[in-house]
């Protein structure tokens, strides 16, 4: 006896993606410039009906849901899809990073390349600006072993970029080099004297 196959139920309707809040472009721009005053105003205005003159110089104590969403939205015009905390971290803007994190920015949120704020700071924030790495890996508790789309940890990014001060800070926070990435890292770093101490941070082969 033949039976009529049952039809699969129709898929649930997709939820339309919400456009980013209108103040997001200004937020991304202020974060990339490290403009704490503008960031404070944007965050305060987004969470209340206060006038610009009455906005405090710090992030709101209880950011609204809209503020939290805006802070963690990636910039579609940015090649890497950076959120505000990535933009500030990439340029070593310590005060801006701390302000954004206090208002709800997720330090471990990956951008379009799978990189967290610590990844981009490790690769780009050099010299005095590399102190933002200490803030992220220390006080803010960013994941020192998050892996990006290519399997790189923040320590890999710092070493490949020759950002050895940042590499030491990440290693001190428990950062490691995946065994599979050691060859890539060692081929990219010409200063063997700087690289050799980091061999002890290579993980065991993955099985």
């Amino acid at each position: 006896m033949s039976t009529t196959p049952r039809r699969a139920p129709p898929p649930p309707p997709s939820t339309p993606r919400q456009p980013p809040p209108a103040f997001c472009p200004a937020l991304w721009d202020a974060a990339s410039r490290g403009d704490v005053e503008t960031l404070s105003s944007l965050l305060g205005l987004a969470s209340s009906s206060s006038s610009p003159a009455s906005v405090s110089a710090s992030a709101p104590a209880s950011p609204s849901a809209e503020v939290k969403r805006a802070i963690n939205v990636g910039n579609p015009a940015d090649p890497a899809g950076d959120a505000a905390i990535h933009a500030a971290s990439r340029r070593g803007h310590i005060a801006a990073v701390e302000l954004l994190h206090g208002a709800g920015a997720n330090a471990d949120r990956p951008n379009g390349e799978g990189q967290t704020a610590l990844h981009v700071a490790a690769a780009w924030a050099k010299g005095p600006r590399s102190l933002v790495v200490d803030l992220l890996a220390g006080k803010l508790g960013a994941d020192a072993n998050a892996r990006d789309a290519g399997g790189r940890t923040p320590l890999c990014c710092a070493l490949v970029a020759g950002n050895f001060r940042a590499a030491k800070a990440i290693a001190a926070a428990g950062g490691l080099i995946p065994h599979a990435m050691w060859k890539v890292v060692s081929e990219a770093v010409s200063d063997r004297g700087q690289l050799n101490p980091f061999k002890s941070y290579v993980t065991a082969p993955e099985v």
Side-chain angles (χ1 to χ4, degrees):
M1 181 177 66
S2 64
T3 59
T4 303
R6 297 176 62 184
R7 292 185 179 181
S14 59
T15 303
R17 177 175 292 182
Q18 290 180 290
F23 62 90
C24 270
L27 187 71
W28 295 322
D29 177 66
S32 68
R33 292 184 289 105
D35 186 344
V36 173
E37 183 177 355
T38 298
L39 282 174
S40 299
S41 296
L42 287 167
L43 296 172
L45 288 172
S47 63
S48 70
S49 57
S50 304
S51 63
S54 67
V55 174
S56 67
S58 61
S62 299
S64 68
E66 185 184 31
V67 166
K68 289 183 177 180
R69 185 168 75 88
I71 286 178
N72 290 300
V73 167
N75 183 355
D78 183 86
D82 281 355
I85 196 168
H86 293 87
S89 299
R90 189 181 292 275
R91 294 162 181 83
H93 297 313
I94 293 174
V97 169
E98 195 158 20
L99 178 70
L100 289 163
H101 186 267
N106 181 359
D108 290 329
R109 177 204 182 280
N111 64 8
E113 297 176 344
Q115 296 196 325
T116 66
L118 187 55
H119 280 100
V120 299
W124 295 96
K126 299 181 179 181
R129 294 191 174 196
S130 67
L131 289 172
V132 75
V133 170
D134 300 65
L135 173 67
L136 287 162
K139 181 179 178 180
L140 303 189
D143 185 355
N145 287 300
R147 299 195 189 191
D148 66 11
R152 295 174 290 265
T153 60
L155 183 52
C156 296
C157 293
L159 290 171
V160 168
N163 197 0
F164 297 110
R165 205 212 70 81
K168 291 175 183 177
I170 295 168
L176 299 170
I177 303 167
H179 188 274
M181 295 303 303
W182 175 247
K183 182 179 180 181
V184 175
V185 171
S186 60
E187 289 178 349
V189 180
S190 57
D191 190 334
R192 313 312 293 183
Q194 291 276 20
L195 179 64
N196 286 338
F198 291 95
K199 286 183 178 179
S200 61
Y201 294 93
V202 179
T203 64
E206 297 179 7
V207 294

